[in-house]
Amino acid sequence: MGSADSKLNFRKAVIQLTTKTQPVEATDDAFWDQFWADTATSVQDVFALVPAAEIRAVREESPSNLATLCYKAVEKLVQGAESGCHSEKEKQIVLNCSRLLTRVLPYIFEDPDWRGFFWSTVPGAGRGGQGEDDEDSARPLAESLLLAISDLLFCPDFTVQSHRRSTVDSAEDVHSLDSCEYIWEAGVGFAHSPQPNYIHDMNRMELLKLLLTCFSEAMYLPPTPDSGNTNPWVQFFCSTENRHALPLFTSLLNTVCAYDPVGYGIPYNHLLFSDYREPLVEEAAQVLIVTLDHDSATSISPTVDGTTTGTAMDDTDPPGPENLFVNYLSRIHREEDFQFILKGIARLLSNPLLQTYLPNSTKKIQFHQELLVLFWKLCDFNKKFLFFVLKSSDVLDILVPILYFLNDARADQSRVGLMHIGVFILLLLSGERNFGVRLNKPYSVRVPMDIPVFTGTHADLLIVVFHKIITSGHQRLQPLFDCLLTIVVNVSPYLKSLSMVAANKLLHLLEAFSTTWFLFSTAQNHHLVFFLLEVFNNIIQYQFDGNSNLVYAIIRKRSVFHQLANLPSDPPAIHKALQRRRRAPEPLSRTGSQDGASMEGSRPAAPAEPGTLKTSLVATPGIDKLTEKSQVSEDGTMRSLEPAAQQEPADGSPATENQEATHACREQRRLSNASASGQWNPTSEWVLSWKSKLPLQTIMRLLQVLVPQVEKICIDKGLTDESEILQFLQHGTLVGLLPVPHPILIRKYQANSGTAMWFRTYMWGVIYLRNVDPPVWYDTDVKLFEIQRV
């Protein structure tokens, strides 16, 4: 039958369905077969031929017809899975039913009255509709559907290569088939890389799209503070009920991590061969991160000890969460598996950066946000993986792309979520000492970014990019300032030598944040000054020897520290500072951050094109909720500080002078500064309450000792040359002259239900916006986030 004819017949069937007010019997095969039996339609055709308005009309006016359509389509998938899809006709029926369900499911989820439909059992719906009373006959429709999809994803000659030598042999029995022998790609726990097969990849992709649509019920529930609401579809799919859980998890992970978009290292290769793998890899990445949507704050994570050789998963751990995908992820432990995963993710994250060297030389992937979520999940659920990442400088292959994305997205309102996840990952990494140590590696690979040219380390790169985000990002990034500076505080005790460019950037931030009008404009802005002072104290006390650039910058900007020490707190001064604020709304667009030459090939961060869609995000918890303070002992081990100990502001004692008590006005940071100012006014008592705790002792002592010496050199030698002053500072020492070093304080990321909810809305927002062909969820009534145009 010609394609045009089959589309016409399919369209007729859809019209019949919407116009029949009488229920059509489930046994009327002639009617139902029109939807899947002989049509050669693509998924795009199905979306075009089944308009949203008609699906809703059937739902409202002839609900039993919609129910029968779903039930019959699932039944066909179950039959296909049972029989093993040997004929072309069976394969076609499975694909058609799969496309039809992908089209219809979102309209079932958007209606609260229908949401339970797939979890009900269909009367008399035995396996073949014969109503026999085996245990499966009472399965909810959702379970039958998920098990059928799982079986179909390991169906020889349909989605995997058959192991049979000849077709004369009896068909491989679906039930006795060991799907672990059919894992899609070599990698974790599987050494054999099957021959690539375009048709199999396309069939897998269609089934994964249906699977993702099943999971997307989460999009139709509003975000709740209690993120304990598990997704029943994911819960069942990742349970022991699914006999393919392990090979599926492995297939998805390996397919993503083994993917090389470059085309075997030959530039421009993708222009000669179409890369059909990418859509499958994207779909696999999306399904994987959704199955791993598990609140680690409420689950017992498996402990990290004991390894077994020979298996990919660590069997010595106590059973983890019931979600098998999370469990398998948390138990990967072999070095070669970690290496494979890390190299794969780093290769894919770096792909957009390579683009800028040889434009169009490699295929540019678009799924970096999904990869960042996957990397986050790996680090969050598998501590051994996190330690592996930090064990070598390979972590820098993740850091540099993240800094590139942060810099590139900073002006774009539609990419606020990308900014957040990049910063969260760096916050998580910065809680580990090794991350700070790794940052000392020289930065020589020049990634084109519109930041000033400098010669230095990866730490310099991080500081320069953070400075750029803070000074030239948009208003909605303000809640991230705390996180950015916390990361710098966490790594500061380990930074051996900052470049002059980075040192000047840190002092420029201090200068901007310590103006009276900025300090007095919201209840939290002074936290930023505390963070910066803590950075300077850590470097002076632990890394003085190599940091003459920073010491010189502090000496040059000494007036900023004196102004802070003498900050006025009387009501007239506060009033005057606030008047100044009304005239100057931008806190950081001050002179002093002119950047000179930028890196070669860089383009400035551009705002979103008008009309770009973006999805809303829930607020992230404040830094005090996001992190837990830990103290580093002299032997390098960390101990968590009890909340009670944190609250004791025993003034002057070095350990606590920088543990500034957090104000109850945290939430006001959520509002823009302008609106917050309407509800809150600074008082003299408030200024004095934190001014007295500013950790200025170390810096004041340094200035007291070094400024006269530097001035003397300048007078004696008539010096105006920076290099000689720097040389003097390099050989200087402050041993015995500074206060006793305070213990190093690290603010480690801690999982909480607030961030779990943030990740859920972010992840589904990304998936919503990325699935445009076909537009699976477009124009349906999602509740998890709002869709706005920039």
Side-chain angles (χ1 to χ4, degrees):
M1 172 183 282
S3 178
D5 286 349
S6 65
K7 283 183 198 171
L8 196 64
N9 287 354
F10 181 74
R11 180 70 194 126
K12 273 188 197 153
V14 174
I15 294 169
Q16 282 178 311
L17 187 71
T18 46
T19 49
K20 281 186 196 287
T21 43
Q22 291 306 308
V24 183
E25 286 300 316
T27 48
D28 184 353
D29 285 340
F31 175 76
W32 296 112
D33 282 352
Q34 302 175 94
F35 288 98
W36 38 75
D38 55 11
T39 52
T41 51
S42 67
V43 67
Q44 285 78 8
D45 292 335
V46 170
F47 272 68
L49 298 170
V50 188
E54 294 183 19
I55 305 175
R56 289 191 176 111
V58 178
R59 189 182 71 194
E60 306 310 323
E61 286 143 41
S62 35
S64 77
N65 285 347
L66 181 60
T68 308
L69 180 73
C70 292
Y71 151 61
K72 295 290 282 186
V74 172
E75 183 184 62
K76 289 290 173 195
L77 290 179
V78 170
Q79 285 168 359
E82 290 278 290
S83 71
C85 277
H86 293 297
S87 67
E88 283 310 308
K89 188 180 163 91
E90 282 176 291
K91 290 173 186 170
Q92 198 56 58
I93 288 175
V94 163
L95 290 172
N96 287 333
C97 290
S98 179
R99 292 160 186 163
L100 197 61
L101 286 167
T102 301
R103 179 61 173 143
V104 169
L105 273 167
Y107 297 92
I108 286 186
F109 294 151
E110 73 176 5
D111 185 335
D113 295 339
W114 273 86
R115 218 166 279 144
F117 168 71
F118 269 81
W119 293 96
S120 56
T121 47
V122 180
R127 270 299 158 121
Q130 273 76 39
E132 65 260 40
D133 265 345
D134 60 16
E135 55 177 323
D136 281 333
S137 65
R139 270 207 188 283
L141 203 52
E143 295 187 3
S144 303
L145 172 57
L146 290 171
L147 293 175
I149 296 172
S150 298
D151 282 341
L152 288 164
L153 286 168
F154 292 103
C155 189
D157 285 330
F158 180 52
T159 49
V160 291
Q161 214 72 46
S162 172
H163 290 185
R164 294 274 171 201
R165 290 299 145 117
S166 73
T167 46
V168 186
D169 282 354
S170 64
E172 284 163 282
D173 180 23
V174 185
H175 291 292
S176 62
L177 173 141
D178 176 6
S179 46
C180 283
E181 293 173 13
Y182 291 87
I183 287 168
W184 300 351
E185 188 59 69
V188 176
F190 194 67
H192 169 67
S193 193
Q195 201 53 43
N197 182 314
Y198 172 70
I199 306 291
H200 293 174
D201 273 5
M202 297 309 284
N203 294 342
R204 291 165 179 174
M205 196 190 83
E206 300 238 26
L207 289 164
L208 289 180
K209 202 173 273 303
L210 172 57
L211 192 56
L212 198 57
T213 310
C214 291
F215 295 159
S216 71
E217 183 181 79
M219 280 195 211
Y220 298 90
L221 304 168
T224 51
D226 161 41
S227 66
N229 54 352
T230 44
N231 181 328
W233 295 84
V234 172
Q235 196 177 8
F236 179 80
F237 184 78
C238 299
S239 73
T240 48
E241 295 265 0
N242 182 355
R243 71 189 180 99
H244 302 295
L246 179 59
L248 267 169
F249 167 76
T250 313
S251 293
L252 295 171
L253 183 63
N254 292 355
T255 297
V256 172
C257 294
Y259 176 55
D260 184 359
V262 175
Y264 311 103
I266 306 164
Y268 302 101
N269 201 18
H270 68 291
L271 301 177
L272 308 177
F273 307 100
S274 69
D275 178 1
Y276 58 82
R277 197 101 235 228
E278 189 187 14
L280 173 69
V281 176
E282 284 192 11
E283 212 70 54
Q286 291 175 4
V287 168
L288 196 52
I289 60 178
V290 170
T291 53
L292 296 170
D293 177 23
H294 184 82
D295 186 352
S296 63
T298 58
S299 74
I300 303 127
S301 250
T303 55
V304 188
D305 60 306
T307 56
T308 47
T309 48
T311 59
M313 308 301 166
D314 191 339
D315 297 322
T316 56
D317 290 334
E322 305 83 272
N323 178 323
L324 288 179
F325 278 41
V326 173
N327 198 333
Y328 296 145
L329 185 77
S330 67
R331 282 170 34 204
I332 298 171
H333 65 282
R334 291 194 310 199
E335 295 261 316
E336 60 266 40
D337 290 336
F338 286 158
Q339 191 62 32
F340 163 75
I341 294 171
L342 181 59
K343 281 270 180 273
I345 292 177
R347 177 177 59 243
L348 292 171
L349 284 178
S350 305
N351 161 276
L353 287 60
L354 298 173
Q355 287 297 322
T356 33
Y357 291 124
L358 288 171
N360 307 320
S361 62
T362 59
K363 186 183 176 77
K364 186 164 185 180
I365 63 155
Q366 303 294 333
F367 57 100
H368 48 272
Q369 298 192 84
E370 292 93 321
L371 289 164
L372 289 172
V373 176
L374 177 59
F375 182 76
W376 170 269
K377 296 285 179 195
L378 279 154
C379 292
D380 196 21
F381 292 142
N382 191 322
K383 288 297 168 259
K384 284 182 184 168
F385 177 74
L386 177 61
F387 298 141
F388 176 85
V389 168
L390 294 166
K391 202 170 72 174
S392 73
S393 51
D394 287 352
V395 66
L396 303 175
D397 298 337
I398 300 285
L399 169 75
V400 172
I402 288 178
L403 292 176
Y404 171 86
F405 292 129
L406 290 178
N407 185 56
D408 189 53
R410 67 174 196 273
D412 183 346
Q413 292 262 0
S414 70
R415 291 196 283 168
V416 145
L418 170 63
M419 299 291 295
H420 277 74
I421 186 168
V423 172
F424 284 159
I425 288 173
L426 298 183
L427 179 64
L428 180 73
L429 295 174
S430 76
E432 307 298 332
R433 173 183 176 274
N434 265 353
F435 182 62
V437 173
R438 299 287 160 243
L439 289 179
N440 290 309
K441 187 176 178 183
Y443 175 66
S444 47
V445 191
R446 294 280 171 223
V447 173
M449 285 196 237
D450 57 326
I451 55 172
V453 175
F454 65 90
T455 303
T457 65
H458 284 76
D460 295 309
L461 178 68
L462 178 124
I463 288 168
V464 169
V465 170
F466 282 10
H467 174 270
K468 195 90 180 180
I469 294 167
I470 292 171
T471 55
S472 64
H474 51 81
Q475 201 67 30
R476 290 190 53 212
L477 297 180
Q478 279 218 351
L480 281 178
F481 290 3
D482 280 358
C483 272
L484 292 167
L485 292 187
T486 298
I487 293 163
V488 181
V489 173
N490 282 348
V491 301
S492 59
Y494 312 108
L495 304 184
K496 293 192 184 321
S497 65
L498 285 187
S499 69
M500 190 58 94
V501 173
N504 284 333
K505 295 301 176 204
L506 286 175
L507 280 144
H508 173 245
L509 288 180
L510 182 71
E511 208 177 349
F513 288 150
S514 59
T515 56
T516 48
W517 70 260
F518 183 74
L519 281 174
F520 297 164
S521 60
T522 78
Q524 295 82 23
N525 282 351
H526 63 284
H527 291 283
L528 301 172
V529 169
F530 275 82
F531 285 139
L532 284 164
L533 291 175
E534 204 174 327
V535 170
F536 298 142
N537 286 340
N538 281 341
I539 294 179
I540 292 165
Q541 291 183 325
Y542 292 97
Q543 301 288 350
F544 179 81
D545 286 352
N547 273 296
S548 51
N549 287 327
L550 181 69
V551 174
Y552 179 62
I554 288 173
I555 291 173
R556 278 186 51 220
K557 290 282 186 187
R558 57 191 178 276
S559 60
V560 179
F561 298 96
H562 290 299
Q563 281 163 9
L564 265 176
N566 301 310
L567 190 73
S569 56
D570 54 296
I574 293 175
H575 179 71
K576 191 172 157 194
L578 295 177
Q579 291 304 108
R580 200 174 312 138
R581 184 190 65 206
R582 297 203 176 90
R583 290 200 298 280
E586 279 298 311
L588 296 158
S589 56
R590 302 167 35 130
T591 50
S593 72
Q594 267 76 39
D595 280 336
S598 275
M599 297 207 170
E600 193 184 338
S602 64
R603 296 178 307 279
E609 298 281 315
T612 304
L613 289 183
K614 66 174 180 131
T615 53
S616 62
L617 290 162
V618 293
T620 53
I623 195 73
D624 50 334
K625 297 272 191 306
L626 263 181
T627 55
E628 178 180 65
K629 290 181 181 166
S630 301
Q631 206 164 296
V632 182
S633 320
E634 284 179 21
D635 61 357
T637 56
M638 286 197 197
R639 61 184 187 84
S640 179
L641 292 177
E642 290 305 311
Q646 292 179 28
Q647 296 310 321
E648 290 301 309
D651 284 317
S653 78
T656 53
E657 65 175 3
N658 51 13
Q659 297 172 11
E660 215 280 295
T662 310
H663 282 267
C665 319
R666 246 296 152 212
E667 280 308 302
Q668 289 188 327
R669 179 54 81 82
R670 303 272 163 266
L671 311 162
S672 73
N673 286 353
S675 60
S677 64
Q679 300 158 17
W680 177 85
N681 279 310
T683 61
S684 296
E685 297 73 36
W686 171 78
V687 176
L688 288 168
S689 73
W690 54 262
K691 179 186 163 182
S692 62
K693 302 193 193 98
L694 282 167
L696 286 163
Q697 290 167 303
T698 300
I699 294 169
M700 289 311 194
R701 187 80 185 108
L702 172 140
L703 292 172
Q704 201 182 344
V705 175
L706 292 179
V707 170
Q709 296 182 8
V710 170
E711 283 175 342
K712 186 171 186 310
I713 293 177
C714 292
I715 295 164
D716 290 355
K717 299 197 176 175
L719 278 191
T720 49
D721 182 21
E722 278 189 2
S723 60
E724 291 207 31
I725 301 171
L726 284 167
Q727 214 169 351
F728 162 73
L729 291 172
Q730 261 160 19
H731 299 105
T733 173
L734 291 175
V735 173
L737 296 171
L738 293 180
V740 180
H742 58 273
I744 297 174
L745 193 69
I746 301 287
R747 292 170 181 81
K748 284 173 81 89
Y749 166 81
Q750 56 168 4
N752 61 65
S753 50
T755 42
M757 193 64 236
W758 184 89
F759 273 97
R760 184 169 303 150
T761 53
Y762 170 61
M763 171 184 77
W764 280 113
V766 168
I767 291 171
Y768 177 97
L769 293 173
R770 298 258 296 107
N771 282 273
V772 287
D773 181 29
V776 182
W777 299 281
Y778 189 69
D779 275 351
T780 60
D781 188 16
V782 295
K783 293 276 194 291
L784 185 62
F785 44 77
E786 291 164 25
I787 294 103
Q788 302 134 341
R789 279 189 190 281
V790 176

